[in-house]
Amino acid sequence: MTEERRRRVPRRIREQQIIDVAVRVFSKRGYHAASVDEIAELAGISKPMVYLYLESKEGLFIACLRREADRLVRAFQDAAREAGRPDERLHAGLRAFFAFVAEHRDGWVVLYRQASELSESIAREVALARRAVLSQVAGLVRDGVREEGGDGRVQLREEDADFVAYSLVGAADSLTDWTERHPGQSPDGVALRLMNMVWVGMERVLRGETWSPEHG
Amino acid sequence: MTEERRRRVPRRIREQQIIDVAVRVFSKRGYHAASVDEIAELAGISKPMVYLYLESKEGLFIACLRREADRLVRAFQDAAREAGRPDERLHAGLRAFFAFVAEHRDGWVVLYRQASELSESIAREVALARRAVLSQVAGLVRDGVREEGGDGRVQLREEDADFVAYSLVGAADSLTDWTERHPGQSPDGVALRLMNMVWVGMERVLRGETWSPEHG
Amino acid sequence: MTEERRRRVPRRIREQQIIDVAVRVFSKRGYHAASVDEIAELAGISKPMVYLYLESKEGLFIACLRREADRLVRAFQDAAREAGRPDERLHAGLRAFFAFVAEHRDGWVVLYRQASELSESIAREVALARRAVLSQVAGLVRDGVREEGGDGRVQLREEDADFVAYSLVGAADSLTDWTERHPGQSPDGVALRLMNMVWVGMERVLRGETWSPEHG
Amino acid sequence: MTEERRRRVPRRIREQQIIDVAVRVFSKRGYHAASVDEIAELAGISKPMVYLYLESKEGLFIACLRREADRLVRAFQDAAREAGRPDERLHAGLRAFFAFVAEHRDGWVVLYRQASELSESIAREVALARRAVLSQVAGLVRDGVREEGGDGRVQLREEDADFVAYSLVGAADSLTDWTERHPGQSPDGVALRLMNMVWVGMERVLRGETWSPEHG
DNA sequence: CATGAATGAGTTTTCATTCAT
DNA sequence: GATGAATGAAAACTCATTCAT
């Protein structure tokens, strides 16, 4: 209604505006409960425009998915590039993650909290997006240890790195809820705590000091 | 249609049959995408029976939620009761968890993978159910460390136990996906691995050997 | 559940119990919104019994209709029998009406406030029941005037008596609502007031003193 | 299907078309028995349009209610404005009423024959609409008598005017049925008759010539 | 006499999607 | 580039009614 809105806006920008709104709505309501109507209204345009630009509800959701996954992957990469030592790299990655979630809660929810409810084609995209995130983490874990591996330590196999990556991402996701119940905690504080819990253990395990049910 | 199906079944049994089916369907499709029609058909009865016994779609979902949460909580308790040392107790808990998920995948999905899409009243129930699970884990963590605390170690504060519990549940949930990509792994194997990664680190951290960005 | 209810009750009595409840429910909810479920439950029996005794929802409603119409017609007749002069007869009829409504509000509602919503066969019954009530009133009006007619007055034709009867019943029904807004008023007071408004006019009109737009 | 129907119709007009049809259907079937399906079909559009424009079945019904009440109230006001003497005013009002019902039978039924079956929120609206109608009539009665009151007559109290209004509206409503059984009668004829029956009596009563059981 | 178990058919309502302008 | 008008399809839920016991 306002002049601002009525002004003809170039396609690229409109698309981003729509996706911005869509991420919020998909995050709040979940894929199925979200309605294109609401998204169009909040974006200040008519439904046909949404369909013109994004093709379908699925197309819109996939666009959201990709953009948020890209942003998070980039955040990981930027963090890893700046840090030096392997452990610092992982720590930087975790910090980047919690910072991302703190700032883009909705994006994370769209990426990781859309349940089983999705159609075949969307499920594929979700899998891809999550895989991209997990790869980043697995990379941080694997490369880090590989460098240290020079001195004769037991190296992490692919599978192990993957195991750790899944654990970390799962833990991080869950801590996202923990944070809501402990509002004082800064993203960096959470990252440090998680680092402590995992890295220290990882080091020792790599050195061969494993835990077993029969140990004393 | 078959005689078996047409036979009148007492309420208690029918209710369980309906819930059995519903857990499967809610797990596969998610709350919103699941249709009561499908659940009724798979249960071999008509929709009105579902409404007669379970009140509403929400009521049905909540019944599923509670039953699965109860089962999991009981699995934790049984496991903890049998084990002796604190670390063994946690290990037993983790084993119980992965065993549960291996056997009741659908139940776990209903419990932990229903996303943002839920109505106020359901969200409350979900929160309760998850809280019950987290409490069990936090209990295993806290009590375990408390016993060892006798020898002068730093004790885990409430908050820390909660932090670890959230991490563990999140990691375990995520590893649920990892398992699907590595079909050879037994639930017990996964539990042992996770135990190793976390417990060894926890012990050291409690002893004061923390990790920090500036350390060597 | 209580022994009282469980006791096998002879058909006639059960039927009356069911109709008692049904009148209340039909009155409160209207024919369509009333549910056989609710009626059965309030009557303390199972639905099949309702169907066994009253055949169908329509049958149940018609039974209600007839019983309440009978009661009201009888009330009119009793009143008319006791009174002497024609005007007193009408007055007694009106008093009987308002007394009936005060005591059997639900019955009146079932008789006169079930709207157009009814099926062909019910509509027929409703028409019959209302006709019976109107006949009583028209009788009071007509007979009353006829007696007085002996002295040379203009007699009320069939049509006129009917006109007055419709007016009176409609007014009386409407005053039923007025009474609710003026709780102090006794049924007898209302009857007297209505009598005053109508009878005095009727007398004069019969004598030829009509009102016309052009009169002074 | 025809081109006429397919043509896009602006909202305002469609809304009126829908309401037109809805008044007919609600009148014929009653609120509960009426189905939105039937209304949509008779209006030549699909159900979603009905919901888009009128919100819900309740919303649709309330829209009908308000429109018809407005129309009737306006008819009263127009009639009263034109007439001069108080008795003429009331007579004009009655004529307007019977003319309205003759032309908008369905509207009247929607206004006054929707029984006990209605939900809280609708009941409120119905009460409002009826109150509006009753106020018009009470106004005609009260104001009329007040003017004449100048010459020392007993004035009608609020309560009395209300009593008369309820009686008149109820009688008029009921005569609506009488008319159907006597098709020859013109609305104006009915109005005149009712006027005669009531006004002549009212005048006399105001003058103190009341009827009482004991009079001769 | 009495009932718990069961259902076919219908209701209101919502949604993703498209057409005509 | 933009939108108001329109719909097919499907969802949750309810109800009168009947069987088997």
Side-chain angles (χ1 to χ4, degrees):
Chain A
M1 290 296 171
T2 69
E3 260 187 44
E4 267 250 301
R5 276 192 171 160
R6 282 257 176 230
R7 220 184 2 249
R8 312 233 159 163
V9 175
R11 178 167 182 149
R12 282 294 139 76
I13 294 179
R14 261 285 140 85
E15 269 182 15
Q16 288 307 309
Q17 291 175 347
I18 298 173
I19 294 178
D20 284 341
V21 170
V23 167
R24 280 207 319 268
V25 175
F26 281 133
S27 163
K28 186 170 181 189
R29 306 233 187 272
Y31 178 77
H32 266 98
S35 90
V36 178
D37 257 310
E38 184 181 3
I39 292 168
E41 194 172 3
L42 286 180
I45 56 167
S46 68
K47 259 186 300 179
M49 290 298 292
V50 175
Y51 281 85
L52 185 61
Y53 286 163
L54 278 312
E55 200 81 349
S56 69
K57 191 185 183 182
E58 280 200 15
L60 176 52
F61 184 74
I62 290 175
C64 294
L65 211 53
R66 286 190 181 148
R67 199 187 68 178
E68 298 304 313
D70 276 5
R71 281 184 176 170
L72 178 52
V73 166
R74 204 161 303 135
F76 270 123
Q77 290 170 339
D78 291 353
R81 214 188 333 273
E82 289 172 19
R85 250 177 311 140
D87 52 345
E88 277 172 8
R89 297 250 288 278
L90 180 55
H91 179 229
L94 293 181
R95 263 185 17 212
F97 172 86
F98 287 105
F100 176 88
V101 172
E103 256 185 284
H104 300 85
R105 188 90 240 254
D106 293 334
W108 177 251
V109 169
V110 167
L111 263 173
Y112 246 84
R113 299 268 172 112
Q114 297 302 320
S116 27
E117 54 174 330
L118 310 161
S119 80
E120 197 56 26
S121 60
I122 293 196
R124 236 191 334 268
E125 285 292 331
V126 170
L128 272 177
R130 293 190 182 174
R131 202 59 224 149
V133 172
L134 280 163
S135 292
Q136 291 300 315
V137 178
L140 290 179
V141 171
R142 194 183 332 103
D143 295 357
V145 178
R146 193 164 289 151
E147 269 184 50
E148 299 201 0
D151 60 8
R153 293 182 185 195
V154 178
Q155 293 220 359
L156 271 184
R157 285 171 303 141
E158 263 306 297
E159 197 186 83
D160 290 311
D162 223 41
F163 182 94
V164 175
Y166 269 91
S167 303
L168 277 175
V169 171
D173 172 35
S174 183
L175 288 170
T176 270
D177 291 339
W178 181 83
T179 306
E180 284 191 339
R181 303 175 70 97
H182 300 84
Q185 304 290 329
S186 74
D188 282 7
V190 177
L192 182 57
R193 257 168 132 148
L194 181 55
M195 187 69 191
N196 246 306
M197 192 167 94
V198 174
W199 185 261
V200 179
M202 256 172 60
E203 266 193 337
R204 235 172 135 196
V205 171
L206 286 172
R207 232 181 284 126
E209 301 179 37
T210 60
W211 179 92
S212 90
E214 303 87 15
H215 99 139
Chain B
M1 294 291 172
T2 69
E3 258 187 45
E4 266 251 300
R5 275 195 169 158
R6 284 263 173 223
R7 218 182 5 247
R8 313 229 154 174
V9 175
R11 178 172 183 147
R12 283 295 142 74
I13 295 178
R14 260 286 135 84
E15 271 180 11
Q16 289 307 310
Q17 291 176 348
I18 296 173
I19 293 179
D20 284 341
V21 171
V23 167
R24 282 206 319 268
V25 175
F26 281 133
S27 162
K28 186 170 180 190
R29 304 233 188 273
Y31 178 77
H32 268 101
S35 90
V36 177
D37 256 314
E38 185 182 1
I39 291 169
E41 194 172 5
L42 286 181
I45 55 166
S46 66
K47 248 185 309 178
M49 288 300 292
V50 177
Y51 282 88
L52 185 61
Y53 288 164
L54 280 309
E55 288 292 280
S56 67
K57 191 184 183 182
E58 280 200 15
L60 175 52
F61 184 73
I62 290 175
C64 294
L65 211 53
R66 287 190 180 150
R67 200 187 66 178
E68 300 303 316
D70 276 3
R71 281 185 177 171
L72 178 51
V73 165
R74 205 162 301 134
F76 269 122
Q77 290 170 338
D78 291 352
R81 216 189 332 274
E82 288 171 20
R85 253 176 311 142
D87 51 346
E88 276 172 7
R89 297 250 289 276
L90 180 55
H91 180 229
L94 293 180
R95 261 184 19 212
F97 171 85
F98 288 105
F100 175 88
V101 173
E103 257 186 281
H104 299 85
R105 186 91 241 254
D106 293 333
W108 177 251
V109 169
V110 166
L111 263 173
Y112 247 82
R113 299 268 172 111
Q114 297 302 322
S116 27
E117 53 176 330
L118 308 163
S119 81
E120 196 58 24
S121 60
I122 294 196
R124 237 191 334 268
E125 284 293 330
V126 170
L128 272 178
R130 294 191 181 173
R131 204 58 225 150
V133 172
L134 280 164
S135 292
Q136 291 300 317
V137 177
L140 290 179
V141 171
R142 194 185 330 105
D143 295 357
V145 178
R146 192 164 289 153
E147 271 184 47
E148 300 200 1
D151 59 8
R153 292 182 186 197
V154 178
Q155 293 219 2
L156 270 184
R157 285 171 303 141
E158 261 306 296
E159 196 188 84
D160 289 310
D162 223 42
F163 183 95
V164 174
Y166 270 90
S167 302
L168 275 175
V169 171
D173 172 35
S174 183
L175 287 170
T176 271
D177 291 338
W178 182 84
T179 306
E180 283 192 339
R181 303 176 70 96
H182 300 85
Q185 305 291 330
S186 74
D188 280 9
V190 177
L192 183 56
R193 262 170 127 145
L194 182 55
M195 187 69 192
N196 248 305
M197 193 166 93
V198 174
W199 186 261
V200 180
M202 256 172 58
E203 269 192 335
R204 246 174 121 193
V205 171
L206 286 173
R207 234 180 284 126
E209 301 179 37
T210 60
W211 178 93
S212 91
E214 303 85 17
H215 100 139
Chain C
M1 290 297 172
T2 68
E3 262 187 42
E4 268 251 301
R5 276 191 172 159
R6 282 256 175 234
R7 220 181 5 247
R8 312 233 159 163
V9 176
R11 177 166 184 146
R12 282 294 138 76
I13 294 179
R14 260 287 140 84
E15 269 181 15
Q16 289 307 308
Q17 291 176 346
I18 297 173
I19 293 177
D20 283 342
V21 170
V23 168
R24 279 205 324 266
V25 175
F26 281 133
S27 163
K28 186 171 182 190
R29 305 232 188 273
Y31 179 76
H32 266 99
S35 89
V36 178
D37 256 311
E38 184 181 1
I39 292 168
E41 193 173 4
L42 286 181
I45 56 165
S46 67
K47 260 186 298 179
M49 290 300 291
V50 176
Y51 281 86
L52 184 62
Y53 287 163
L54 280 311
E55 201 81 351
S56 68
K57 191 185 182 182
E58 280 199 16
L60 176 51
F61 185 73
I62 290 175
C64 294
L65 213 52
R66 288 190 179 147
R67 199 187 66 179
E68 299 304 314
D70 277 3
R71 283 184 176 171
L72 179 50
V73 166
R74 204 161 304 135
F76 271 123
Q77 291 171 338
D78 290 354
R81 212 187 338 269
E82 289 173 19
R85 252 176 312 139
D87 53 345
E88 276 173 7
R89 296 251 289 278
L90 180 54
H91 180 229
L94 293 180
R95 262 189 13 216
F97 171 85
F98 288 105
F100 176 87
V101 172
E103 254 185 286
H104 299 84
R105 185 93 242 252
D106 294 333
W108 177 251
V109 169
V110 166
L111 263 174
Y112 246 83
R113 300 268 170 112
Q114 298 302 319
S116 29
E117 55 174 331
L118 309 162
S119 80
E120 198 55 27
S121 59
I122 295 195
R124 235 188 341 265
E125 285 292 331
V126 170
L128 273 177
R130 293 189 183 175
R131 203 58 225 150
V133 172
L134 280 163
S135 293
Q136 292 301 314
V137 178
L140 290 179
V141 171
R142 192 183 334 102
D143 295 358
V145 179
R146 191 164 290 154
E147 271 185 48
E148 301 200 2
D151 57 10
R153 293 185 186 192
V154 179
Q155 293 221 358
L156 269 184
R157 286 171 302 142
E158 261 307 294
E159 196 186 83
D160 290 311
D162 223 39
F163 182 95
V164 175
Y166 270 90
S167 302
L168 276 176
V169 171
D173 172 34
S174 184
L175 288 170
T176 271
D177 292 337
W178 181 84
T179 305
E180 284 191 341
R181 303 175 70 97
H182 301 84
Q185 305 289 330
S186 74
D188 281 8
V190 177
L192 182 55
R193 260 168 129 146
L194 181 55
M195 188 67 192
N196 247 306
M197 192 167 93
V198 174
W199 187 261
V200 179
M202 257 172 58
E203 270 192 335
R204 239 173 129 194
V205 171
L206 286 173
R207 234 181 284 126
E209 302 179 37
T210 60
W211 178 94
S212 90
E214 303 86 18
H215 98 139
Chain D
M1 293 294 171
T2 70
E3 258 187 46
E4 267 252 299
R5 275 194 170 159
R6 283 264 173 222
R7 222 188 354 254
R8 312 228 155 174
V9 175
R11 178 171 182 147
R12 284 294 142 74
I13 295 177
R14 260 287 135 84
E15 271 180 10
Q16 288 307 310
Q17 291 176 348
I18 297 173
I19 294 178
D20 284 342
V21 171
V23 167
R24 282 205 320 269
V25 175
F26 280 132
S27 162
K28 186 171 181 190
R29 305 236 188 270
Y31 179 77
H32 268 102
S35 90
V36 178
D37 254 314
E38 184 181 3
I39 292 169
E41 194 171 7
L42 287 181
I45 54 166
S46 66
K47 253 185 303 177
M49 288 300 293
V50 177
Y51 282 88
L52 185 61
Y53 288 163
L54 280 309
E55 288 292 281
S56 67
K57 190 184 183 181
E58 280 200 17
L60 175 53
F61 184 75
I62 289 174
C64 294
L65 212 52
R66 288 189 181 150
R67 199 187 68 180
E68 299 305 316
D70 276 4
R71 281 184 176 169
L72 178 51
V73 166
R74 205 161 303 136
F76 270 122
Q77 291 170 337
D78 291 352
R81 215 189 333 272
E82 289 172 20
R85 251 177 312 140
D87 52 345
E88 276 173 7
R89 295 250 289 278
L90 179 56
H91 180 230
L94 293 180
R95 260 186 17 212
F97 172 85
F98 287 106
F100 176 88
V101 173
E103 257 184 282
H104 300 85
R105 184 92 242 253
D106 294 333
W108 176 251
V109 170
V110 166
L111 263 174
Y112 247 82
R113 300 266 171 114
Q114 298 301 321
S116 30
E117 53 176 331
L118 306 164
S119 79
E120 196 57 26
S121 59
I122 294 196
R124 235 191 336 268
E125 285 293 329
V126 170
L128 272 178
R130 294 190 182 173
R131 204 58 224 152
V133 172
L134 281 163
S135 293
Q136 292 299 317
V137 178
L140 290 178
V141 171
R142 194 183 332 105
D143 296 356
V145 178
R146 190 164 292 153
E147 272 184 48
E148 302 200 0
D151 58 8
R153 292 184 187 195
V154 178
Q155 293 221 1
L156 270 185
R157 285 173 302 142
E158 261 306 295
E159 197 186 83
D160 289 309
D162 223 41
F163 183 94
V164 175
Y166 269 91
S167 302
L168 276 176
V169 171
D173 172 36
S174 184
L175 288 169
T176 270
D177 291 339
W178 181 84
T179 306
E180 283 191 340
R181 303 176 70 97
H182 301 85
Q185 305 291 328
S186 74
D188 280 8
V190 177
L192 183 56
R193 259 170 130 148
L194 182 54
M195 187 70 192
N196 248 306
M197 192 167 95
V198 175
W199 186 262
V200 180
M202 255 171 59
E203 268 192 336
R204 239 173 130 195
V205 171
L206 286 173
R207 234 181 284 128
E209 301 180 36
T210 60
W211 178 95
S212 89
E214 303 84 19
H215 98 140

